[in-house]
Amino acid sequence: MTSGTEQHDLGEAVAARVERRWATLSIVIVGLLAGMAAFIGIHQATMPQGRVETADPRTLHVSGEFIESNLGTAIEADGSVTVRAIGQQYSFTPQCVVVPANTPVTFRATSADVVHGLLIEGTNINTMLVPGYISELPIRFSAAGDHAMPCQEFCGMGHQGMWGKIKVVDQATFRGMMATRRRLTCVD
Ligand code: CUA
């Protein structure tokens, strides 16, 4: 038979062994997570979306899809509508966007400088505009009316003044407004 002291020593030894095992496991887990974070950071394995489109913020105004004359609302061959916009400190271009109600609308936007946010109040449109990347979101407005479009990412001292507007009009009004134009905005 073992004495009380021997039993006590045995219990202590078991506890110490279990503690050591658990400490080793914890260190392995922490090391694994740190390793994964380092790998993802080094190889830039994280991207904002599964499907990534890029746009060079330095040449946005010079050429390509986001050149100023191509911004605003455009009608596609299938009758849907595409809105192209840029966020920059501290405004959106165009500042006022017109779209038709009950029509599929695709927003395509990017940033010319820092990270901005694009949020359309009363809808589920809420995304970041990251320089270098194009954010694309589909939406369908069910009724005519105005929606505020604030920047919802802190982008500098003028952030709180960065607001745009979405004007939803009925389809006939939209067709009339669009009749003589290739791109439409409601900026005066
Ligand atoms: Cu742009 Cu906040």
Side-chain angles (χ1 to χ4, degrees):
M1 266 195 61
T2 53
S3 73
T5 319
E6 277 171 339
Q7 265 184 356
H8 178 79
D9 288 348
L10 197 67
E12 223 171 48
V14 168
R17 199 166 64 236
V18 170
E19 285 277 353
R20 263 199 305 277
R21 264 188 215 160
W22 177 238
T24 308
L25 184 64
S26 311
I27 290 165
V28 167
I29 291 170
V30 169
L32 197 69
L33 291 175
M36 275 165 60
F39 178 86
I40 288 166
I42 290 164
H43 294 276
Q44 301 197 323
T46 51
M47 288 292 180
Q49 295 165 344
R51 187 178 61 86
V52 176
E53 281 186 274
T54 56
D56 188 342
R58 291 164 303 182
T59 57
L60 285 183
H61 303 285
V62 187
S63 64
E65 181 181 351
F66 292 94
I67 196 162
E68 192 155 7
S69 58
N70 201 38
L71 298 178
T73 308
I75 299 180
E76 303 298 336
D78 64 359
S80 71
V81 158
T82 303
V83 176
R84 292 184 180 82
I86 288 179
Q88 67 264 297
Q89 288 168 321
Y90 295 102
S91 63
F92 293 100
T93 308
Q95 193 68 20
C96 182
V97 170
V98 196
V99 290
N102 300 308
T103 306
V105 176
T106 304
F107 272 86
R108 288 175 63 78
T110 186
S111 165
D113 40 41
V114 300
V115 174
H116 297 280
L118 177 77
L119 181 146
I120 302 176
E121 283 184 356
T123 74
N124 63 358
I125 293 275
N126 184 352
T127 188
M128 282 161 83
L129 305 183
V130 182
Y133 297 94
I134 299 170
S135 300
E136 184 180 296
L137 289 167
I139 188 172
R140 193 186 180 98
F141 294 92
S142 54
D146 289 357
H147 298 258
M149 184 176 73
C151 172
Q152 98 297 19
E153 285 285 336
F154 182 77
C155 53
M157 295 310 288
H159 159 71
Q160 68 277 12
M162 187 169 169
W163 287 72
K165 191 170 100 176
I166 304 287
K167 209 174 170 59
V168 185
V169 297
D170 64 71
Q171 288 178 343
T173 308
F174 180 78
R175 275 196 299 275
M177 291 170 96
M178 201 79 207
T180 55
R181 281 170 247 236
R182 203 176 64 88
R183 296 290 177 266
L184 182 65
T185 73
C186 41
V187 179
D188 295 328

